[in-house]
Amino acid sequence: GLDLFKDFSYPELNTIGHFLERTARKSGEVIFNEGDPGTYMLILVEGRLSIFKGGEHGTQLLSHEGRGRIVGEMALLDQERRSATCVAETDCIMLTLDAAGMHRMSVERPLLAYRFMLNLAKLLSRRLRRTSGMLVEYLAT
């Protein structure tokens, strides 16, 4: 039911699954810290995450993320440092895709990798549009 995977058949999803790794984290565990090297994205299968951003006025909660959310996708694309901290709010099960897995997919299944990246770009575009709209509303007040 994820938008990222809506255009893929079951056999294609099964193939993509070979490039993902299942991980589990306990409630309260830090998944990654703001400033950490960014090497993977995650898909939250079960549980809840909290995303925090540090600033001159301390740490601020940006969002709570639930089942099906994709987190850290920018790091997969640009390999830059993490822009926020992610903490497991509850026990979590996640699927991760790291840069090496993405590279393997692009070599072994280039068309599938292209479609995956295109859907990821669309997801990022929607998020940027939403954030831009929120910024305009904030500046107008």
Side-chain angles (χ1 to χ4, degrees):
L2 297 176
D3 282 347
L4 180 63
F5 297 116
K6 71 180 179 181
D7 300 330
F8 295 98
S9 68
Y10 180 78
E12 289 172 326
L13 291 173
N14 191 40
T15 300
I16 291 169
H18 293 292
F19 300 98
L20 302 174
E21 183 177 322
R22 182 184 181 276
T23 60
R25 296 294 177 94
K26 295 288 184 192
S27 177
E29 274 189 72
V30 174
I31 311 299
F32 53 78
N33 282 299
E34 184 174 355
D36 284 352
T39 58
Y40 65 91
M41 62 169 263
L42 64 88
I43 302 164
L44 187 58
V45 176
E46 288 182 23
R48 194 165 165 88
L49 301 171
S50 296
I51 310 295
F52 298 93
K53 177 79 175 157
E56 62 184 52
H57 300 293
T59 301
Q60 300 294 318
L61 174 67
L62 293 181
S63 66
H64 295 285
E65 304 295 344
R67 183 176 187 268
R69 291 296 293 181
I70 296 163
V71 176
E73 67 284 349
M74 292 188 315
L76 179 66
L77 296 174
D78 63 16
Q79 306 286 291
E80 293 291 328
R81 296 198 175 275
R82 298 289 184 181
S83 61
T85 296
C86 178
V87 178
E89 195 173 305
T90 65
D91 290 352
C92 294
I93 297 174
M94 301 167 283
L95 297 174
T96 61
L97 177 62
D98 63 14
M102 190 66 235
H103 178 73
R104 277 188 315 118
M105 189 190 316
S106 70
V107 169
E108 295 173 21
R109 299 295 306 268
L111 182 56
L112 194 63
Y114 167 79
R115 290 176 48 222
F116 177 86
M117 293 300 281
L118 180 61
N119 283 1
L120 193 57
K122 288 177 183 177
L123 175 104
L124 284 166
S125 178
R126 280 192 303 272
R127 287 184 182 176
L128 181 57
R129 288 176 190 275
R130 186 180 66 231
T131 301
S132 296
M134 291 168 53
L135 181 60
V136 166
E137 287 179 22
Y138 173 77
L139 294 174
T141 58

